[in-house]
Amino acid sequence: ARVAFTPDGDKSPKGQDDCFDAYKWMIEHAEEELIDTGRLFTAGESAGGNLSATLTVRIRDAGLPQAGQIILCAVLVPYNLTSAMYKKAGGTGNFWIGLEECDDMWDALLKSPEDTLNPHLNVFRATSKGLPRALIIVGGEDPCVNDGQLYVQKTEARGNRCCVYDIFRYAS
């Protein structure tokens, strides 16, 4: 996923705004476009998994229909550099991404660390109540595996259905 910026370089969640506007357009034009709104999913991989998860919260908060979400090896927790996998990635791990790259990614999206309090940018600040079912695929040796596992735990603890697969070795 790419982070979209406004012409003045503002780090607002432009990419999420674009996705939300497209989703809303599909709902508004469902009849004429023959879209079954009961079968709409959001999906994303890596940074796109974060976009999918946060977009799902925003869709729910707007009262729009959504059947589910599919998240693959998602980078979900901003500045979560305490996790063992992140530390391994930045240390002796054989991963495609390290701690510095994780920081750079969040810096590209967020205006400041305070933005991590926004539930539309950080899914762990949002309630999971009312979210659709989820298929979450985590990478056993992905430096972000803890993010996916934590998201599953929090989502299931609030009564949401998740189907989890740990099948990847997402490393170089």
Side-chain angles (χ1 to χ4, degrees):
R2 282 188 28 178
V3 176
F5 293 99
T6 59
D8 62 359
D10 184 23
K11 291 183 178 183
S12 65
K14 175 107 174 70
Q16 189 196 71
D17 290 345
D18 291 346
C19 291
F20 181 76
D21 290 344
Y23 193 93
K24 198 164 71 167
W25 184 93
M26 287 191 303
I27 300 298
E28 292 167 354
H29 295 87
E31 188 173 327
E32 66 194 70
E33 298 294 331
L34 303 175
I35 298 171
D36 181 351
T37 60
R39 300 177 79 183
L40 290 176
F41 279 71
T42 60
E45 184 245 348
S46 193
N50 178 65
L51 182 59
S52 174
T54 56
L55 183 61
T56 296
V57 172
R58 191 167 171 188
I59 289 167
R60 181 219 39 213
D61 291 352
L64 300 174
Q66 183 179 26
Q69 57 182 315
I70 301 170
I71 299 173
L72 174 66
C73 298
V75 181
L76 295 170
V77 183
Y79 303 109
N80 183 28
L81 302 182
T82 58
S83 86
M85 292 305 281
Y86 277 129
K87 288 183 178 180
K88 185 176 179 184
T92 59
N94 185 26
F95 298 110
W96 59 275
I97 188 170
L99 295 177
E100 187 174 322
E101 290 85 2
C102 290
D103 270 347
D104 290 345
M105 181 175 45
W106 288 112
D107 287 342
L109 176 64
L110 305 174
K111 292 178 185 176
S112 71
E114 288 75 34
D115 284 343
T116 63
L117 302 176
N118 181 340
H120 291 157
L121 297 175
N122 180 352
V123 292
F124 295 107
R125 294 292 181 176
T127 177
S128 297
K129 186 174 180 169
L131 291 179
R133 64 185 184 232
L135 168 63
I136 301 172
I137 300 172
V138 296
E141 292 193 25
D142 176 4
C144 305
V145 66
N146 298 75
D147 291 2
Q149 292 169 340
L150 184 60
Y151 186 62
V152 169
Q153 290 169 4
K154 289 189 178 277
T155 301
E156 287 181 334
R158 293 181 178 138
N160 295 59
R161 288 183 13 213
C162 290
C163 182
V164 182
Y165 291 94
D166 184 351
I167 58 173
F168 275 93
R169 183 180 177 132
Y170 202 13
S172 59

